[in-house]
Amino acid sequence: MTRKGVTLKDVAAAANVSRATAARALNSYGYVGDETAQRVQEVAESLGYRANRVAQALRSGQLPLIGYVPGDIQNPFFARIAHDLETELRKEKHNLLIASSEEDVAQEKELLESLRSLSIRGLILAPTSATDNRHIVSLAREIPTVLIDRVAKNVRCDSVVVDNEGGAHEAIDYLVANGHRRIGLLRDDSRIFTAQERLFGYQNSLQAHGIALDETLISVSRSTVEQAIEATIRLFNQPNRPTALFTVDSLMTQGALLALRSMGLSIPNDVSLVGFDDFNLATFTDPQITVVAQPISEIGPLAARLLLERLDGKKGAAREVRFPTRLIVRGSVAKPKKR
Amino acid sequence: MTRKGVTLKDVAAAANVSRATAARALNSYGYVGDETAQRVQEVAESLGYRANRVAQALRSGQLPLIGYVPGDIQNPFFARIAHDLETELRKEKHNLLIASSEEDVAQEKELLESLRSLSIRGLILAPTSATDNRHIVSLAREIPTVLIDRVAKNVRCDSVVVDNEGGAHEAIDYLVANGHRRIGLLRDDSRIFTAQERLFGYQNSLQAHGIALDETLISVSRSTVEQAIEATIRLFNQPNRPTALFTVDSLMTQGALLALRSMGLSIPNDVSLVGFDDFNLATFTDPQITVVAQPISEIGPLAARLLLERLDGKKGAAREVRFPTRLIVRGSVAKPKKR
DNA sequence: CTGAAAGCGCTAACAA
DNA sequence: TTGTTAGCGCTTTCAG
């Protein structure tokens, strides 16, 4: 390990000025003689001086750090947002600190504690729970926070979400319009907020069409491909199986795809399928999958912008932006077979 | 914005001890009376004290921060590694700072500067360039660094890579064994190191089988689905097109898949395909894609471990771990059609 | 066992 | 225009 490097003191000494003057010259604030300033800068350059952000932060109170706590960084949805956030925040010289909650409230609490102790300037969070969130409430009072994908009760901060209910509603409408009445739902337990909203969309659409809710058509699973496979198999091993399936996120859609294939059920001949959240794979399968797409490219940049505005001192009530979804019709839905 | 919070001073005052004693009690080092220690801890608890890491870092010189600079966080390969790194590092109370280089050397330089000024403790990096890396050389001398996926010339630090050449070699061997002699290569320009190694494997295998290298069968593209589509189309629009294609990463494999489909070429009847790097999608397509798989689940944890050892003060020569690859035979290769 | 004091690197009143 | 000084919150000798 070499020594930590050149400090302001070294620069000041080498340039024959005080540390204060050196600081002024390098950060160009206050009054500094042109000549002095230039000299200091040259010296700094030649010594390879770089400001120590930690020391700066100790004074100013904060590091140029923004925390990002998604449910899972491996989920393409959150990875995409991570990418967009980073791009936006980098423009303002902020760094992104990423820590996945793994959809676990306890872990989320720990992570937030940890981020707080690092004196982050802002936070972008996809809360794991819609209700167990007192830790978020208190944090959001201290640190500018933007919630994405899901909102959390009682937390007063900006949020960026999509119209989960509307999207689900539209998907079910579409299936019904294609003649389906026994429509299965593969839903997620952990992402409570979105799962709940999408469930409402499902229920409301069925109700609007006068179709009674049948609990045996709803299967709950964690949001992983593996778990979704099992849940799908359970659903379709029942005597009076659904003719169509709606899955609430892309991982579950993939699981359903695999499960249906393994059961020898063909899409869309035996079963129609619509998934929430578009994904690469959806266009690679045969047939391609009909999905409810979220405007994913807008979520990250907007969240970043809202946060930056708050960091700039913008006051005012919490803003909730809710993007509409869009049904992308591809080839995974057909009329149900006569029995 | 509320005030920054309870400091050690507050705790000390409330517990009627000096700051030094309070620090000792809370960090349990040095001599402290049991009773005093307990009292301090209770007071700290009740006041909601949390240590300010920035201040701690100013003294110790470093924040519990590890930088991770992948080529692109959206690439599932790097996203997976990000996840694994985070899990491992979290155990040691370290936070992961993620910043994508976007495969751009200039950006990589900027990011590394930025990370350095944050006094990160360690760095995990997938270098963008195999040769333009003086900035890495100097950084690696200051900050424990582990290179992943690619190595960089002259940089003395641990690295974790896979046997790119061997993997490519095996893939081509397999194609040749299936009767192919006109084997196309879709290669990546930016990820110079891996691309180069995989190219070697391609060349060496051909040579070993006495097949002359035909430059018209090699197409270069950036590592994105879109660019790979175009490159594939160029390749297969030639008069004497290849009977098989080897793609050097999963994004390019996806691009090739889409391109071949759009050209009405069926896999494996018209064209056989083998890709480097396994990916979800490979088992969703029909036929499933034969790939050279990397032991991706081992890369992140190992890189984290190597780094942590260095942080623990481990000395010694740079270690280069090179994992073998594994050919996973699925359904995308067949004997070439007679013409 | 505990406290006083110095100082990590930087910035910002306040003086000069 | 520049320097002096104090101090951000914490840890760590060194005395007591």
Side-chain angles (χ1 to χ4, degrees):
Chain A
M1 216 82 357
T2 52
R3 60 127 120 353
K4 233 15 254 230
V6 186
T7 75
L8 185 62
K9 198 163 117 186
D10 302 328
V11 175
N16 257 50
V17 292
S18 70
R19 278 142 71 223
T21 302
R24 282 190 282 253
L26 292 170
N27 302 321
S28 35
Y29 74 91
Y31 296 100
V32 205
D34 286 354
E35 201 193 322
T36 320
Q38 170 138 14
R39 180 158 38 93
V40 171
Q41 274 159 15
E42 283 170 8
V43 170
E45 174 81 13
S46 73
L47 258 44
Y49 167 79
R50 25 203 101 264
N52 179 331
R53 304 245 175 243
V54 173
Q56 292 180 328
L58 182 57
R59 287 215 100 247
S60 66
Q62 288 176 319
L63 247 13
L65 251 32
I66 304 294
Y68 173 48
V69 182
D72 174 12
I73 190 61
Q74 274 191 88
N75 185 319
F77 176 81
F78 288 122
R80 168 63 189 267
I81 290 175
H83 174 267
D84 291 342
L85 287 176
E86 212 222 301
T87 304
E88 290 299 314
L89 295 173
R90 181 74 55 196
K91 291 179 192 161
E92 305 289 324
K93 307 287 182 204
H94 285 292
N95 296 83
L96 236 213
L97 209 44
I98 304 184
S100 292
S101 66
E102 315 262 333
E103 304 294 3
D104 179 77
V105 187
Q107 180 158 346
E108 178 180 286
K109 285 181 190 171
E110 267 191 50
L111 293 178
L112 294 183
E113 268 317 315
S114 165
L115 292 178
R116 180 211 296 250
S117 71
L118 284 170
S119 307
I120 58 171
R121 283 176 58 81
L123 175 68
I124 291 175
L125 169 70
T128 287
S129 165
T131 50
D132 181 359
N133 52 31
R134 289 174 50 185
H135 54 298
I136 303 178
V137 174
S138 69
L139 192 62
R141 267 201 294 261
E142 268 182 41
I143 301 174
T145 299
V146 175
L147 265 25
I148 58 168
D149 191 44
R150 327 159 186 181
V151 296
K153 277 218 175 54
N154 306 318
V155 180
R156 285 179 40 107
C157 66
D158 299 335
S159 58
V160 180
V161 296
V162 304
D163 182 7
N164 293 293
E165 180 178 342
H169 200 121
E170 189 178 2
I172 304 303
D173 284 353
Y174 177 70
L175 286 168
V176 171
N178 273 272
H180 293 275
R181 298 186 69 83
R182 295 188 55 73
I183 302 174
L185 173 69
L186 188 51
R187 66 181 277 252
D188 179 341
D189 186 29
S190 62
R191 295 173 62 178
I192 294 187
F193 172 72
T194 44
Q196 192 66 30
E197 289 201 332
R198 292 171 196 174
L199 173 62
F200 285 155
Y202 169 85
Q203 293 171 331
N204 292 343
S205 172
L206 289 182
Q207 189 169 17
H209 294 290
I211 301 173
L213 193 67
D214 180 347
E215 286 290 344
T216 66
L217 297 183
I218 299 182
S219 193
V220 176
S221 132
R222 298 218 60 185
S223 175
T224 69
V225 173
E226 290 71 23
Q227 304 264 328
I229 290 176
E230 288 181 30
T232 305
I233 291 176
R234 278 200 302 278
L235 202 54
F236 282 85
N237 264 341
Q238 301 181 111
N240 193 5
R241 67 163 66 119
T243 61
L245 177 64
F246 176 57
T247 49
V248 301
D249 79 23
S250 66
L251 261 14
M252 305 185 85
T253 310
Q254 291 177 42
L257 227 39
L258 247 19
L260 293 174
R261 186 160 78 191
S262 79
M263 297 177 81
L265 293 172
S266 118
I267 300 172
N269 296 332
D270 299 320
V271 181
S272 289
L273 179 66
V274 178
F276 203 108
D277 198 10
D278 197 9
F279 57 118
N280 257 351
L281 221 133
T283 59
F284 281 85
T285 51
D286 184 22
Q288 297 183 33
I289 309 300
T290 294
V291 299
V292 176
Q294 314 185 53
I296 184 171
S297 66
E298 304 188 42
I299 297 176
L302 177 63
R305 195 144 44 75
L306 293 180
L307 185 61
L308 288 168
E309 284 178 13
R310 294 298 182 183
L311 293 179
D312 269 0
K314 183 172 179 105
K315 299 292 172 199
R319 295 165 289 180
E320 176 175 323
V321 177
R322 187 172 281 264
F323 284 113
T325 57
R326 191 164 55 91
L327 182 71
I328 301 181
V329 173
R330 297 202 266 244
S332 63
V333 173
K335 304 236 180 277
K337 282 195 290 202
K338 300 283 184 326
R339 296 243 188 171
Chain B
M1 221 80 359
T2 51
R3 63 128 118 348
K4 226 29 241 278
V6 186
T7 75
L8 185 62
K9 201 162 117 187
D10 301 328
V11 175
N16 256 54
V17 293
S18 70
R19 278 142 70 221
T21 302
R24 282 190 281 254
L26 292 170
N27 301 321
S28 37
Y29 73 91
Y31 297 100
V32 205
D34 286 355
E35 201 193 322
T36 320
Q38 169 138 18
R39 182 158 37 94
V40 172
Q41 274 159 17
E42 284 170 10
V43 169
E45 174 80 14
S46 73
L47 258 44
Y49 167 78
R50 23 203 101 265
N52 179 330
R53 303 246 175 239
V54 174
Q56 291 180 327
L58 182 57
R59 284 214 102 245
S60 67
Q62 290 175 320
L63 247 12
L65 250 32
I66 304 293
Y68 174 47
V69 181
D72 175 12
I73 190 60
Q74 274 191 89
N75 184 319
F77 176 81
F78 289 121
R80 167 62 189 268
I81 290 176
H83 175 266
D84 291 342
L85 288 176
E86 212 223 303
T87 305
E88 290 301 313
L89 295 173
R90 181 73 56 197
K91 290 178 193 162
E92 304 289 324
K93 306 287 182 204
H94 285 292
N95 295 83
L96 237 213
L97 209 43
I98 303 184
S100 292
S101 66
E102 315 259 334
E103 304 295 2
D104 179 77
V105 186
Q107 180 159 348
E108 179 180 286
K109 285 182 191 171
E110 266 191 51
L111 294 179
L112 294 183
E113 268 318 315
S114 163
L115 291 179
R116 180 210 296 250
S117 70
L118 284 170
S119 308
I120 58 171
R121 283 176 58 81
L123 174 68
I124 291 174
L125 169 70
T128 288
S129 165
T131 51
D132 182 359
N133 53 30
R134 289 173 53 183
H135 55 297
I136 303 177
V137 174
S138 69
L139 191 62
R141 267 202 293 263
E142 269 180 42
I143 301 175
T145 299
V146 175
L147 264 27
I148 57 168
D149 191 44
R150 327 160 186 180
V151 297
K153 278 219 175 50
N154 307 319
V155 180
R156 286 178 40 107
C157 66
D158 298 335
S159 58
V160 180
V161 296
V162 305
D163 182 7
N164 292 293
E165 181 179 340
H169 200 121
E170 190 179 2
I172 305 303
D173 284 354
Y174 178 71
L175 285 168
V176 171
N178 273 273
H180 294 274
R181 298 187 68 83
R182 295 189 55 73
I183 301 174
L185 173 68
L186 188 51
R187 66 180 277 252
D188 178 340
D189 185 30
S190 62
R191 296 174 61 179
I192 294 187
F193 172 73
T194 44
Q196 192 66 29
E197 288 202 334
R198 291 171 196 175
L199 173 62
F200 285 153
Y202 170 84
Q203 292 171 332
N204 292 343
S205 172
L206 289 182
Q207 191 169 17
H209 292 290
I211 300 174
L213 193 67
D214 180 348
E215 286 290 346
T216 66
L217 296 184
I218 300 182
S219 193
V220 176
S221 132
R222 300 218 60 188
S223 175
T224 68
V225 172
E226 290 71 23
Q227 305 262 326
I229 290 176
E230 287 181 30
T232 305
I233 290 176
R234 279 200 303 277
L235 202 54
F236 282 85
N237 264 342
Q238 301 180 110
N240 194 5
R241 66 162 69 121
T243 61
L245 177 64
F246 176 58
T247 48
V248 302
D249 80 22
S250 66
L251 260 14
M252 304 184 85
T253 310
Q254 291 177 44
L257 227 38
L258 248 19
L260 293 174
R261 185 160 79 190
S262 79
M263 297 176 81
L265 294 171
S266 119
I267 300 172
N269 295 331
D270 300 320
V271 182
S272 289
L273 178 66
V274 177
F276 204 107
D277 198 11
D278 197 9
F279 57 117
N280 256 351
L281 220 131
T283 59
F284 281 85
T285 51
D286 185 22
Q288 297 182 31
I289 310 300
T290 294
V291 299
V292 176
Q294 314 185 53
I296 184 171
S297 66
E298 305 188 41
I299 297 176
L302 177 62
R305 196 143 45 76
L306 293 180
L307 185 61
L308 289 168
E309 283 178 13
R310 295 297 182 184
L311 294 180
D312 268 359
K314 181 170 181 106
K315 300 292 172 198
R319 295 165 288 180
E320 177 176 322
V321 177
R322 188 172 282 263
F323 283 114
T325 57
R326 191 165 55 91
L327 181 71
I328 301 181
V329 173
R330 296 202 266 245
S332 62
V333 173
K335 305 238 180 273
K337 283 194 292 202
K338 301 281 182 330
R339 298 236 190 176

